[in-house]
Amino acid sequence: METISWSDFERIELRVGTIISVEDFPEARKPAYKIKVDFGAKIGIKQSSAQITDLYSKDDLMNRQIIGVVNFPAKQIGPVRSECLITGFYNAEEAVVLAVPERPLNNGAKLG
């Protein structure tokens, strides 16, 4: 594991957002959704794709708050331009468990 400095960590924009749109992503190599997340007025709405179909249905995800990285460069994933990274952890079965705030927060709140 590589050690990073506090200033390296501070450069990562981990923000709270609310999922406002979830669609199937049939073009993806592995099962995934196309997702839009509202990160508040300052950051806006960003889209992403996420391989989280094992544990979450589209209905489970709607209006759920997540933690996302919003300052990675955009990445083209097939027809989707991914503008943020929705964070999570792999469980023992290699399914992604979302990283979420423990209580409701304003969209755009920064991890600090």
Side-chain angles (χ1 to χ4, degrees):
M1 173 176 23
E2 181 181 350
T3 301
I4 64 170
S5 68
W6 182 255
S7 63
D8 289 335
F9 176 72
E10 288 179 315
R11 293 175 41 214
I12 302 168
E13 291 284 329
L14 285 160
R15 302 286 183 139
V16 171
T18 300
I19 295 175
I20 60 169
S21 172
V22 183
E23 298 177 18
D24 291 322
F25 187 8
E27 303 91 348
R29 282 186 253 156
K30 294 181 181 179
Y33 294 125
K34 294 186 270 188
I35 297 174
K36 289 186 181 176
V37 181
D38 181 354
F39 286 102
K42 189 173 183 181
I43 297 168
I45 295 171
K46 293 192 173 273
Q47 63 183 1
S48 188
S49 69
Q51 296 174 356
I52 54 176
T53 59
D54 290 335
L55 299 179
Y56 304 97
S57 72
K58 291 185 282 188
D59 288 339
D60 290 335
L61 295 169
M62 280 301 298
N63 301 310
R64 180 184 288 249
Q65 286 199 304
I66 55 86
I67 299 169
V69 178
V70 298
N71 65 330
F72 282 138
K75 180 178 182 180
Q76 196 69 36
I77 301 173
V80 174
R81 184 171 167 84
S82 182
E83 302 169 322
C84 64
L85 173 70
I86 297 169
T87 61
F89 300 90
Y90 288 104
N91 68 11
E93 290 79 36
E94 296 296 313
V96 175
V97 177
L98 290 173
V100 299
E102 188 244 342
R103 296 182 189 195
L105 291 165
N106 290 331
N107 288 337
K110 184 179 180 186
L111 181 77

